[in-house]
Amino acid sequence: NSEVFFPRSRPKRFIHFLGGAFVGVSPRLFYEGFLQDLAEKCEAIVIATPFQLSFDYDAMAEAAAAKFDQTVSRLTAEYPACTDLPVVAVGH
């Protein structure tokens, strides 16, 4: 499942974060402080999607996108005000 970081203020966007090749499998462990700061400073709901490194890049990208979409769907069902927020992608 994706890790979610919320700002204290009302969010203005989603940020989809994908970590580095070997640490991307556990974003909270390796990026927690950075991602919480990113959520605060950018007034964003940060969704950090874990992924397993693979040489099948298309399948890896599709799986990460599907996890992100599922998380956004769950969050917008729970917080309807977030339904039309823009999405920014960030990677390391």
Side-chain angles (χ1 to χ4, degrees):
N1 289 337
S2 297
E3 300 284 353
V4 180
F5 299 84
F6 293 94
R8 283 176 263 170
S9 61
R10 183 180 178 141
K12 296 181 179 174
R13 62 197 53 83
F14 285 107
I15 294 178
H16 185 199
F17 178 82
L18 291 170
F22 296 104
V23 295
V25 71
S26 186
R28 183 168 295 277
L29 179 65
F30 293 100
Y31 298 104
E32 182 172 18
F34 167 73
L35 296 173
Q36 192 59 57
D37 285 348
L38 190 64
E40 290 296 332
K41 291 178 180 171
C42 295
E43 298 177 297
I45 298 172
V46 177
I47 300 172
T49 304
F51 65 94
Q52 293 286 336
L53 188 60
S54 166
F55 288 111
D56 186 347
Y57 298 115
D58 290 337
M60 189 173 60
E62 288 172 9
K67 286 180 188 177
F68 174 77
D69 290 342
Q70 290 169 355
T71 303
V72 169
S73 293
R74 180 178 53 82
L75 290 171
T76 55
E78 194 171 334
Y79 306 101
C82 296
T83 299
D84 295 321
L85 294 179
V87 175
V88 177
V90 176
H92 167 238

